Amino acid sequence: MLNLFHHLKIIFFIILIPSLFFGQEEKKDTRLNIKGKTLNSVGKVQNVSIRIVHDDGVVDTILSSNGKYNLHLEFNHKILLEFECLDNNHYIKRIAFNTEIPEEIQKIPFFDLTINLVEKRLWNIKDQDLDILDLPVAYLNYDYKKKIWYDKNAKYSRIINKKIKSYGIY
């Protein structure tokens, strides 16, 4: 009986050990993971609709009911995120991502994104400036050589953010 147990143990290790080393390939993470929160001037904003608009026409919507969210965006797309509070007391905020990366890149770091939604009662925007809110506040790209995220349209983003700040916000 002891001899049988010993043989079974050897067979088990012969089968198990190679599968531990060779059977598990590292899978490529094909999504950009974004986690964040939505805030306003007094704290977390609840019940925010996050619309995900892909360059190929795919649109998805998730609901953040507690002021926090986790998004998983596919690589090799240009994606617009729209944050809209369901109470209609905040302006919509948009941010764009370019998730294109070379094939040999296996993984990129997650992105921590805090969105500050502006309450309409705090910002009496002029009608001629209302369209500025239709534009993304940033167009983010990943530099895989430097391993950092950067705003591809930094000059454009500065102009938009300067205009927003001229209204006393932020």
Side-chain angles (χ1 to χ4, degrees):
M1 183 71 173
L2 187 60
N3 196 16
L4 177 63
F5 178 71
H6 180 67
H7 287 306
L8 287 174
K9 191 165 58 169
I10 290 172
I11 292 170
F12 177 74
F13 281 113
I14 289 172
I15 294 171
L16 179 65
I17 297 298
S19 68
L20 288 175
F21 291 108
F22 304 110
Q24 295 182 0
E25 295 180 20
E26 186 175 331
K27 291 186 178 180
K28 181 177 179 179
D29 186 359
T30 59
R31 299 178 301 168
L32 165 61
N33 297 307
I34 300 175
K35 68 177 186 175
K37 52 191 165 193
T38 51
L39 303 174
N40 65 12
S41 65
V42 294
K44 286 184 184 175
V45 179
Q46 299 178 350
N47 299 320
V48 174
S49 168
I50 304 169
R51 194 169 19 264
I52 305 164
V53 183
H54 289 223
D55 56 356
D56 59 4
V58 174
V59 177
D60 192 14
T61 304
I62 66 164
L63 178 66
S64 169
S65 59
N66 63 358
K68 295 181 182 181
Y69 61 89
N70 286 303
L71 303 175
H72 306 284
L73 307 180
E74 293 179 18
F75 286 162
N76 301 316
H77 286 279
K78 292 176 178 79
I79 300 171
L80 178 68
L81 301 179
E82 297 179 330
F83 294 82
E84 181 178 9
C85 190
L86 298 180
D87 67 9
N88 203 26
N89 293 327
H90 297 77
Y91 291 105
I92 296 172
K93 183 157 287 182
R94 294 172 175 87
I95 189 164
F97 280 88
N98 181 346
T99 63
E100 292 181 22
I101 61 168
E103 185 66 33
E104 65 271 9
I105 301 298
Q106 294 293 312
K107 187 177 180 181
I108 59 176
F110 82 93
F111 195 84
D112 189 11
L113 181 62
T114 298
I115 295 294
N116 293 305
L117 296 175
V118 179
E119 299 101 315
K120 291 179 179 178
R121 66 179 173 77
L122 294 179
W123 191 15
N124 189 12
I125 189 168
K126 298 175 186 172
D127 288 339
Q128 71 263 22
D129 291 333
L130 199 56
D131 61 343
I132 198 164
L133 297 174
D134 292 336
L135 305 170
V137 293
Y139 184 59
L140 300 174
N141 288 261
Y142 185 68
D143 184 330
Y144 59 91
K145 291 179 183 174
K146 295 180 181 178
K147 298 185 183 337
I148 60 168
W149 285 97
Y150 69 97
D151 186 353
K152 187 172 185 174
N153 272 343
K155 183 178 177 183
Y156 164 79
S157 296
R158 278 194 299 273
I159 291 168
I160 291 174
N161 288 319
K162 185 177 179 181
K163 186 68 172 179
I164 290 172
K165 288 179 183 176
S166 75
Y167 282 99
I169 304 300
Y170 307 116

